[in-house]
Amino acid sequence: MDELGELKKIDREVYLLRHAAAVLGWDQETYLPPKGIDERSEQLALLQGLAHERIISDRTGELLDKLGSSRESPRGRYGTADLDGAFLRAWRRRYDRAVKLPKELVVRLARAASVGQAKWAEARKASDFPAFLPFLREILDLTIETAGRIGYAEHPYDALLDEYEPYMKTSEVDAVFENLRRDLVPLVSRISGAPQPDDAFLYKDFPPEAQERFGRRVLDALGFDRERGRLDVSAHPFTTTLGYDDVRITTRYNRNNFAGALFGSIHEFGHALYELGFSKSIGGTILAEGTSLGIHESQSRLWENLIGRSLPFWRYWYPEARELFPDAFGSVSLESFYRAINRVRPSLIRVEADEVTYGLHIILRFLLEKELIAEKIAPKDLPEAWRNLSGELLGIVPENDAEGVLQDIHWSMGAFGYFPTYALGNLYGAQFYSALRRDVPNLDDRIAGGSYSDIALWLESRIHSHGAALTPKELCEKIGGGPLDPSFFIRYLEEKYGRIYEL
Amino acid sequence: MDELGELKKIDREVYLLRHAAAVLGWDQETYLPPKGIDERSEQLALLQGLAHERIISDRTGELLDKLGSSRESPRGRYGTADLDGAFLRAWRRRYDRAVKLPKELVVRLARAASVGQAKWAEARKASDFPAFLPFLREILDLTIETAGRIGYAEHPYDALLDEYEPYMKTSEVDAVFENLRRDLVPLVSRISGAPQPDDAFLYKDFPPEAQERFGRRVLDALGFDRERGRLDVSAHPFTTTLGYDDVRITTRYNRNNFAGALFGSIHEFGHALYELGFSKSIGGTILAEGTSLGIHESQSRLWENLIGRSLPFWRYWYPEARELFPDAFGSVSLESFYRAINRVRPSLIRVEADEVTYGLHIILRFLLEKELIAEKIAPKDLPEAWRNLSGELLGIVPENDAEGVLQDIHWSMGAFGYFPTYALGNLYGAQFYSALRRDVPNLDDRIAGGSYSDIALWLESRIHSHGAALTPKELCEKIGGGPLDPSFFIRYLEEKYGRIYEL
């Protein structure tokens, strides 16, 4: 076997081990009997450990050296920009990051995060930040050490961000978010000053079975292939890939909330469609994954918000929803329904935020975690800093830490650098959607006709099929017509909400 | 780490890998989207391969040698008959069997069996034995080679039987089955001459949802712990162990059959209770498994037949069944119901056989496969030999091969030596039940009162807790009061069916 063949064999084993672990993870969130959790954690740790061993093995490093791989360029010994070149680039990046972290540090951080999550959950319940503080400190110290080990050119946060949004620099996020903030804050304030639509009818009684039936009808129409996927119920909705032909999503039903499960399902469908769209030529390799969390989120947000919360979409679906839920929607016009599902209200909790204010929640977190990692702000000063920023950005201030600095799980898991990808997703999504609108004629008519196959086809051929063969930057240049540009998103918001709120 | 510690580490990894594979296997039979099957097979092959590598590694062999392990005796360097001794014995047996088989032979047999299963399914559909013959020949040749590699003292079938029923010899099965046959054939003939109870009401309309509700009520009462297990639906009912605290069973509902799903569930519950009962002192090791398939089957049959098809059991449950299914059972007395679920009828198909004739189906297969392995009968002569034996043992002759030699999947999978364990299970079960009846006072009253906890406790402390720390022989001596003795089973049948058929 030649060197490339040998590396591909290692790649295949890692790929299969990760999917096997995903099966165990999916089962854990859906059907695992309660007492099965202890051994399941051990099973998962073993499979993840076996994959990790293969990634950091000396042989993997030798092969990558011999094959002339580089993290910065797809030009290895093989081709210039062909798939083998992209394969080597992706492996070099994976190897370099993994091999720089001593096992002992990885284990300490994993343990601290495991304890941290439990302590965070307790502290949030009691709204008691000081109770969480010592654990946050330890996680943060280990995360800063991790960033140092991985290395960075400009800012220690670069090393962390790169885990989730490969090749993006903190300074780039700074610039993009500054633009976003500049435009979002006045837009939110104009909207807040306008009369608010009534949305009380979205919180009436919606029997879960009927919600599920309607949700499945929508997913089927969008093109979720039940021969290659499943929809189940879990406490926290997610998408997970268990195989090239096996991508599963979950949702949860709340009897008094029409929008939650439905838009959640459409969101996860967007993720799933990405995972189901990798071309056969990269299937089964390291390249068969989303190229970044930001790009992944662009796909979920595009379906959830740009399509799912659009007027044409509901022109098609509202009659059916109305028939299914006559008590709630019987006397509500399409236009009123459309305004209700797009109601904007600055609120304290990120996961409940609308698509306009959402970005401000993210900017807040990004600013704080960047400073934490650079040790420019001490963890003990977080609650106050949070309150100040919340006032500046959202115009409201949490009365307690449960609704403020303790609301998200991410830091307790050591997931610093993750938050920006949520907002980047909205920006990438709007930029791609603008290209899609240019390429697919009569887009709104298609959506109003309940036909999505041309949209799905466009997304597959332009975005999904590439997987991680193109970096996020390359993809955005190629498909989005240039570097990431927040003005697409702002223009979309101004048009849509200008009309809804008659600004 | 000392040598025993090192072996225990290997053992732990194999244990976890096998359970991880079981998760993938369970998912495959229950929830896997149809197109996910190809990659799933690869994932499973990888995990099984990783476990196998560890089992046959040179280091495993060295450790077993240094620790003075022996297949025949639990006296290793550690203790005389303590758990470490039993641990070493079990590992020596596992290692010796695995290491004797060249990888190339294992792969060839696995491939032949994979093809064989597909060809068997086609051939059975068309009732065309000659179409299956060449594939059966190849599987048989490879199986005979396997037996030769493993080695045996008396009969090549010994090497195969030992896989499923450790430490039992073909000659012992010969003797036991001869006794069984001698007593069963005249009993069946006496029953066949008696008037038959009506059982048409068992095949009326039983909505699956109601069947499921009733089945879950019964399983809960029997003591199936939902915190450590699950019940799901699959095409072929099975029990599988995914973790020390995670044992799952499946069933299937047929709208026009009351007994199938219910007794199937109770049967699988018996298997599950065994798997859930291993003592903590052997949990997570090679000893945490059923000591043989025969002993495993004794547990499922004991619950399904000795308890589940008893009159006291239905004294408790029949009123509830009647309330749930008034159309079918409204005018049927308890006694009539009890006779119906125990109706004996010699039939062609093993999986539909009652508990009296069942053993004859097994004896037929055992006699044939023993001769096949010893090359005393040619595969081409199987259909005729089957018909002859069927006439001798059951008094009926199949009109086609689908209902005869092609009815079971086992040979197409290369599972020679498996069949006897089904009948051994009935025999062990009756022998154990006799001891249980001696130790637990007023057994029938407890069952008639819907109380099973003392039965479960007895089974756990006497049988389940030991796992594979005791061999089937040791267990039978210790709990059954002597070597395996078919007269317990015969006495049980004669008493029960003597009464039902008024012989």
Side-chain angles (χ1 to χ4, degrees), chain B residues 171-483:
Chain B
S171 55
E172 296 171 274
V173 180
D174 273 329
V176 166
F177 280 7
E178 246 164 67
N179 277 340
L180 187 64
R181 176 181 180 171
R182 189 199 54 212
D183 293 332
L184 273 186
V185 171
L187 176 62
V188 169
S189 128
R190 277 152 69 211
I191 292 174
S192 297
Q196 285 294 330
D198 172 34
D199 66 352
F201 50 83
L202 294 175
Y203 304 95
K204 294 206 166 168
D205 186 49
F206 301 92
E209 310 72 43
Q211 284 193 53
E212 186 182 342
R213 208 158 59 241
F214 185 64
R216 286 188 185 272
R217 290 258 311 139
V218 171
L219 289 185
D220 285 348
L222 293 180
F224 186 51
D225 184 350
R226 296 210 205 175
E227 302 232 298
R228 300 180 68 208
R230 294 185 49 82
L231 168 68
D232 294 87
V233 169
S234 69
H236 300 282
F238 63 94
T239 300
T240 177
T241 298
L242 288 66
Y244 182 73
D245 289 305
D246 185 1
V247 178
R248 307 186 188 180
I249 65 179
T250 68
T251 190
R252 59 180 161 193
Y253 301 100
N254 173 343
R255 196 173 181 107
N256 297 113
N257 184 338
F258 173 76
L262 180 68
F263 289 114
S265 298
I266 299 175
H267 179 99
E268 301 305 332
F269 161 78
H271 283 304
L273 203 66
Y274 191 5
E275 294 283 320
L276 287 165
F278 305 134
S279 107
K280 285 234 180 273
S281 57
I282 60 169
T285 75
I286 189 175
L287 297 178
E289 61 179 27
T291 192
S292 77
L293 288 195
I295 300 294
H296 230 305
E297 197 73 4
S298 78
Q299 299 307 294
S300 56
R301 300 285 173 135
L302 187 153
W303 285 99
E304 177 192 357
N305 291 332
L306 284 79
I307 297 173
R309 290 185 205 264
S310 73
L311 190 56
F313 184 84
W314 287 102
R315 270 196 215 295
Y316 184 85
W317 287 106
Y318 192 54
E320 194 165 324
R322 223 168 164 180
E323 211 166 289
L324 211 54
F325 306 109
D327 290 348
F329 300 151
S331 61
V332 177
S333 71
L334 169 64
E335 184 70 26
S336 302
F337 175 83
Y338 168 66
R339 286 160 185 264
I341 59 169
N342 286 295
R343 179 170 168 155
V344 176
R345 33 160 107 72
S347 66
L348 294 168
I349 306 296
R350 174 186 62 86
V351 298
E352 295 166 5
D354 56 81
E355 60 178 332
V356 182
T357 59
Y358 192 89
L360 298 171
H361 290 268
I362 296 305
I363 291 171
L364 182 158
R365 287 153 179 78
F366 167 71
L367 293 174
L368 291 179
E369 65 180 15
K370 197 177 59 162
E371 304 290 273
L372 281 171
I373 296 299
E375 300 179 83
K376 293 190 181 163
I377 177 177
K380 75 170 170 43
D381 298 327
L382 265 182
E384 198 196 334
W386 185 289
R387 284 191 297 270
N388 292 341
L389 267 175
S390 185
E392 276 178 45
L393 292 164
L394 290 156
I396 48 175
V397 176
E399 285 181 16
N400 59 58
D401 292 334
E403 291 187 324
V405 67
L406 285 175
Q407 72 180 267
D408 293 307
I409 198 174
H410 300 60
W411 293 340
S412 78
M413 296 165 65
F416 290 87
Y418 191 120
F419 280 125
T421 68
Y422 290 124
L424 295 174
N426 280 330
L427 308 185
Y428 283 124
Q431 191 161 349
F432 294 148
Y433 202 61
S434 158
L436 190 155
R437 190 177 281 286
R438 185 196 62 217
D439 291 350
V440 179
N442 310 318
L443 186 62
D444 288 343
D445 293 345
R446 287 168 201 270
I447 295 173
S451 165
Y452 314 96
S453 53
D454 289 300
I455 299 173
L457 203 66
W458 189 93
L459 291 170
E460 182 182 333
S461 63
R462 300 302 200 283
I463 298 173
H464 304 171
S465 60
H466 300 298
L470 298 178
T471 65
K473 272 193 212 315
E474 288 166 353
L475 186 72
C476 196
E477 286 281 350
K478 191 179 164 96
I479 310 305

